[in-house]
Amino acid sequence: IVLDHDKWAEDHRDEMTETCAIYETKWWDHWIGANKSYGKRNGTEIEVNRLHKGVRAYLGALYPRSPRVVCESDPHDRGDQQITQTALNDWWKKPYAYLTVDQASMMAYTLPGSGFNVGYDPGTANPIERTWMRAIPPWELVLDRDAPSYVEERYRGHIYHAPIEEVVKRYPQLAGRLKGGLRRDFFEQFTVGNPAVIATSPATVGEYVRVFEFLNLRAWSWWHLRDLL
């Protein structure tokens, strides 16, 4: 699954790089960087960014400034519909929540295959304050691309780089077994490989490993790195 995802990301890297360059009004810089024979910019290159304006206008019409979440009853009769709806709307009002949704929506509109991850930190404080959401770019979101529709997906996953000390803190049984490496920007260099490598000696502090979190939609359970190893 990881190798298939890496190959898909590698095959679409140039396309995603160009899309980001267009959105950020850096297409000429991108094109010249990819075509060394062009030389340096001479001041005659003109770039009119219509993508950014179109995306922002679309998202502005799609999401009102005061959105509300409406929940239906769970098909398996779990949880409380009204409490869930109230909690979600309270969380939605938080500035960071709205900004993250906006970021994830913008990313999904320009880079198909993006998504977001929602979770919460353990503790005794207000659960709303401990809830977080992060936008996931398509090169980190592992999808079942062979499924004919989303309802028939077998799995989803999130693969990303994390400092080796954080991974060991989360999974103590991996202490001394992981070999870290440098974290490289996706648009600069992409290395196909396993999410982590078992090492013969501990990695130094500050190095990264790739973490693969896998959700089996058929069994509805999380498989983490410790389960894969």
Side-chain angles (χ1 to χ4, degrees), residues 95-150:
Y96 61 83
Y98 181 86
L99 292 175
T100 305
V101 171
D102 181 76
Q103 178 189 24
S105 301
M106 179 275 294
M107 188 183 299
Y109 190 67
T110 54
L111 300 172
S114 303
F116 55 87
N117 190 13
V118 181
Y120 67 93
D121 295 323
T124 58
N126 186 338
I128 298 297
E129 301 296 334
R130 292 188 283 112
T131 303
W132 49 261
M133 181 171 68
R134 301 185 182 98
I136 304 177
W139 54 88
E140 291 186 1
L141 185 59
V142 181
L143 300 174
D144 183 6
R145 303 186 187 279
D146 294 329
S149 66
Y150 76 93

Side-chain angles (χ1 to χ4, degrees), residues 9-215:
E10 175 70 12
D11 292 343
H12 291 79
R13 179 174 60 168
D14 290 344
E15 178 184 350
M16 290 188 285
T17 303
E18 184 175 32
T19 300
C20 290
I22 294 173
Y23 185 82
E24 297 175 355
T25 321
K26 297 179 179 178
W27 184 85
W28 276 107
D29 294 333
H30 161 73
W31 191 84
I32 293 174
N35 298 271
K36 302 297 184 181
S37 60
Y38 184 87
K40 297 181 179 180
R41 298 185 65 166
N42 55 29
T44 61
E45 300 90 351
I46 299 175
E47 185 173 356
V48 179
N49 193 336
R50 296 181 179 178
L51 178 60
H52 185 278
K53 180 180 179 180
V55 170
R56 299 314 309 176
Y58 176 81
L59 293 179
L62 186 63
Y63 294 108
R65 287 297 176 182
S66 300
R68 290 191 59 81
V69 177
V70 177
C71 296
E72 298 181 356
S73 58
D74 184 88
H76 300 287
D77 197 28
R78 297 172 300 185
D80 187 293
Q81 174 184 350
Q82 189 59 44
I83 293 178
T84 302
Q85 180 172 307
T86 301
L88 280 173
N89 283 307
D90 187 23
W91 176 79
W92 187 272
K93 296 176 183 178
K94 305 297 181 183
Y96 61 83
Y98 181 86
L99 292 175
T100 305
V101 171
D102 181 76
Q103 178 189 24
S105 301
M106 179 275 294
M107 188 183 299
Y109 190 67
T110 54
L111 300 172
S114 303
F116 55 87
N117 190 13
V118 181
Y120 67 93
D121 295 323
T124 58
N126 186 338
I128 298 297
E129 301 296 334
R130 292 188 283 112
T131 303
W132 49 261
M133 181 171 68
R134 301 185 182 98
I136 304 177
W139 54 88
E140 291 186 1
L141 185 59
V142 181
L143 300 174
D144 183 6
R145 303 186 187 279
D146 294 329
S149 66
Y150 76 93
V151 296
E152 298 182 64
E153 283 184 281
R154 295 165 296 176
Y155 58 83
R156 289 183 187 177
H158 182 201
I159 189 165
Y160 57 95
H161 286 85
I164 193 169
E165 58 268 23
E166 291 187 8
V167 176
V168 171
K169 184 178 180 180
R170 194 185 314 171
Y171 308 114
Q173 64 271 34
L174 297 179
R177 301 177 61 208
L178 295 178
K179 180 180 179 180
L182 298 177
R183 177 184 179 183
R184 296 178 174 87
D185 186 273
F186 172 77
F187 294 120
E188 293 180 358
Q189 182 175 353
F190 191 84
T191 303
V192 177
N194 295 322
V197 179
I198 299 297
T200 55
S201 60
T204 59
V205 176
E207 293 186 328
Y208 289 81
V209 294
R210 294 181 76 196
V211 179
F212 181 31
E213 297 178 346
F214 183 82
L215 175 61

